[in-house]
Amino acid sequence: MSLTQLNTEQLIAKCREHDQNAQLEAYNRYYKAMYNTALRIIKDSAEAEDVMQEAFLTAFTKLSMLEDNNMFGAWLKRIVINASLTVSRKNSIHREVAIETVEYALSDNTGIAEEDLASVKVNAVLHTLTELKDSYSTALSLHLIEGYDYEEICQIMNISYSNCRTLVSRAKESLRKKLQIV
């Protein structure tokens, strides 16, 4: 049976045995999702890729800490989120201003297919999400994109439940206001 046909539990069992081909297969299965998770928090492609790769290294070296092989994806995502938040906090101390800013404008809808228009709207929302304060974009990404509930976000961001609800609410309101301007 080839590695691509193994289920997650079997694949991670092989990874525990330090099978490099199994590790490569696990990487190939999860890297896109982990990169996107890191990118939404860090907002820098190169740093997101670094965080994602470091997370895989951490995961493979600490596989003994994983209790259930079926939970590998969720466990890896938690490692990526924590590492991304650490990098984001470090970067917020030394905030750099981008040389170029990209603005999206949709001046005329004629001739645009409905699915293309939906894609433009999604891209506008994702772009606007990156313009929010770091805490707002992180909270909204975790809640709306990653699907974490308030309790999980509290643990990840190390904030109280009421603070989390307020943060998500204010982030949504800020996103709405910025999207009305666009």
Side-chain angles (χ1 to χ4, degrees):
M1 180 186 284
S2 75
L3 293 173
T4 56
Q5 296 173 333
L6 295 178
N7 65 32
T8 302
E9 186 174 11
Q10 295 167 328
L11 183 64
I12 301 308
K14 287 193 170 288
C15 289
R16 286 181 188 268
E17 298 168 0
H18 306 289
D19 182 333
Q20 290 182 347
N21 290 327
Q23 291 174 344
L24 179 60
E25 177 61 26
Y27 177 86
N28 288 335
R29 286 186 189 183
Y30 290 97
Y31 83 92
K32 288 180 185 175
M34 298 306 127
Y35 169 78
N36 288 331
T37 298
L39 184 61
R40 280 191 290 274
I41 295 171
I42 298 173
K43 300 177 189 131
D44 179 88
S45 180
E47 276 192 301
E49 190 167 327
D50 288 345
V51 165
M52 182 260 315
Q53 290 176 356
E54 288 293 324
F56 273 101
L57 288 174
T58 300
F60 289 139
T61 57
K62 297 188 177 193
L63 264 178
S64 61
M65 297 175 69
L66 179 62
E67 295 175 9
D68 181 0
N69 288 352
N70 284 324
M71 298 303 294
F72 178 76
W75 181 68
L76 179 61
K77 184 177 270 191
R78 180 64 72 137
I79 293 170
V80 170
I81 289 171
N82 289 338
S84 299
L85 288 172
T86 299
V87 168
S88 179
R89 287 182 193 115
K90 286 179 184 175
N91 288 346
S92 68
I93 293 171
H94 305 289
R95 177 66 55 202
E96 294 181 14
V97 177
I99 295 173
E100 298 174 356
T101 57
V102 179
E103 292 185 19
Y104 295 99
L106 185 59
S107 58
D108 186 15
N109 288 350
T110 57
I112 296 177
E114 196 170 311
E115 58 271 358
D116 291 339
L117 185 58
S119 176
V120 169
K121 289 179 181 179
V122 167
N123 288 335
V125 170
L126 291 174
H127 176 72
T128 305
L129 188 63
T130 65
E131 295 176 344
L132 297 177
K133 287 180 10 179
D134 285 345
S135 59
Y136 285 4
S137 66
T138 299
L140 279 181
S141 291
L142 292 172
H143 185 61
L144 299 176
I145 298 172
E146 300 297 333
Y148 286 105
D149 62 24
Y150 291 129
E151 289 86 8
E152 293 169 319
I153 296 170
C154 293
Q155 292 174 350
I156 292 169
M157 296 184 72
N158 197 25
I159 56 177
S160 69
Y161 184 83
S162 59
N163 192 6
C164 178
R165 290 182 56 90
T166 301
L167 183 65
V168 170
S169 175
R170 288 179 181 168
K172 286 179 182 177
E173 185 59 30
S174 179
L175 183 63
R176 274 189 212 102
K177 285 181 182 177
K178 286 187 180 285
L179 285 171
Q180 287 176 353
I181 294 171
V182 171

